[in-house]
Amino acid sequence: MTVRPVPHRRGARVAALGGLLAACLAFGLAACSSGDRSDPAQAASDQTSATSPLVQTVDAPLNAAPTSGQDPADATGAEAPPEPLTTGTPTQTQMTALTDLPDPVAVSTAGPIAPAGNIDQIVAEVPVTTAPAVGLTDPADFGGQVSARIAQVNAVQATATLPGEVSGPAVAVTVEITNSSAQAIGLDSVTVTLSDTAGNPASPISADPSAPLSGVLDAGAAKSGTYVFTVPTDQRNPISVTVTYSSGAPTLVFTGQVAGG
């Protein structure tokens, strides 16, 4: 009996598998090479998309002005700044040239002015004189062509209006001053007092019809003022009224009884 040699099957299988693998590698390389040559722009775009961040590009400068009807934020691609707040009404400022400014005030270089007196100076006293008393309704002379008289004396009932005043029976005395000189005189310093029968000073009161003398008395004019004093009814006969208008003039005294009082 004759035995034929049988080919080795494993070697054949290895050889066939190697050939198949070589064919697959060749086919894969051919396909890849064909895909790269088909669209280079598409490949570059895919590569850029994969590696670049998402950034929006704007085809306008940063200071571009918006077109009509366009939102300012759309012109630059950024959020537009808020508009400034305007309040009130716009005003116009008129500038003044330096030549329009007034000339500076001249400054004195003479030094301080010497005072008219000092605290050590002794001022001579002005003697206060009292003119002789006259009747209650008689005129009296201050000197310097200025005179006074009691124009009217009335018994009244007074009502206190200020602190310290006393309501009750009172006497209203109207004093008239006549300026026969050529110059006006002041009446703000006129002082009128009243003393009752016992010689006690009566309390002045500002109630009606009180209207003291004040202001200026022109040359050749006369003016009257009324003064009210609280005086008990049993202390009015007689009464004494004094009138003073200037420190350089004598004090006038009028004495008499109050009619009806």
Side-chain angles (χ1 to χ4, degrees):
M1 180 177 186
T2 303
V3 179
R4 295 180 180 179
V6 179
H8 198 284
R9 292 181 178 180
R10 179 175 295 181
R13 291 177 180 176
V14 171
L17 183 59
L20 181 59
L21 180 60
C24 289
L25 290 174
F27 180 78
L29 290 175
C32 292
S33 179
S34 176
D36 291 342
R37 289 192 302 269
S38 62
D39 192 357
Q42 182 66 27
S45 176
D46 295 341
Q47 182 178 4
T48 302
S49 300
T51 58
S52 300
L54 295 177
V55 178
Q56 180 180 4
T57 60
V58 179
D59 296 333
L62 294 178
N63 60 348
T67 60
S68 177
Q70 183 183 11
D71 187 5
D74 297 337
T76 60
E79 186 174 344
E83 295 183 359
L85 179 62
T86 303
T87 59
T89 303
T91 58
Q92 295 182 355
T93 303
Q94 184 177 2
M95 301 300 293
T96 302
L98 294 178
T99 56
D100 297 336
L101 297 176
D103 296 334
V105 179
V107 179
S108 174
T109 58
I113 300 175
N118 58 71
I119 60 175
D120 298 326
Q121 183 179 4
I122 299 176
V123 180
E125 294 184 3
V126 176
V128 178
T129 59
T130 302
V134 298
L136 197 59
T137 59
D138 294 338
D141 191 7
F142 283 113
Q145 297 182 318
V146 179
S147 62
R149 73 183 184 95
I150 304 299
Q152 193 172 9
V153 179
N154 294 322
V156 297
Q157 187 71 22
T159 302
T161 58
L162 296 178
E165 295 182 345
V166 179
S167 300
V171 174
V173 178
T174 300
V175 178
E176 180 184 83
I177 295 180
T178 301
N179 180 18
S180 300
S181 69
Q183 296 180 349
I185 61 174
L187 299 178
D188 291 337
S189 59
V190 171
T191 303
V192 177
T193 65
L194 187 148
S195 300
D196 61 16
T197 302
N200 299 317
S203 299
I205 192 169
S206 58
D208 291 336
S210 177
L213 286 164
S214 62
V216 176
L217 179 59
D218 295 332
K223 193 172 183 179
S224 299
T226 301
Y227 301 81
V228 180
F229 304 88
T230 54
V231 182
T233 56
D234 58 351
Q235 296 293 323
R236 300 179 182 179
N237 294 306
I239 61 170
S240 294
V241 178
T242 65
V243 180
T244 304
Y245 99 95
S246 172
S247 60
T251 298
L252 304 183
V253 181
F254 303 87
T255 302
Q257 295 183 355
V258 177

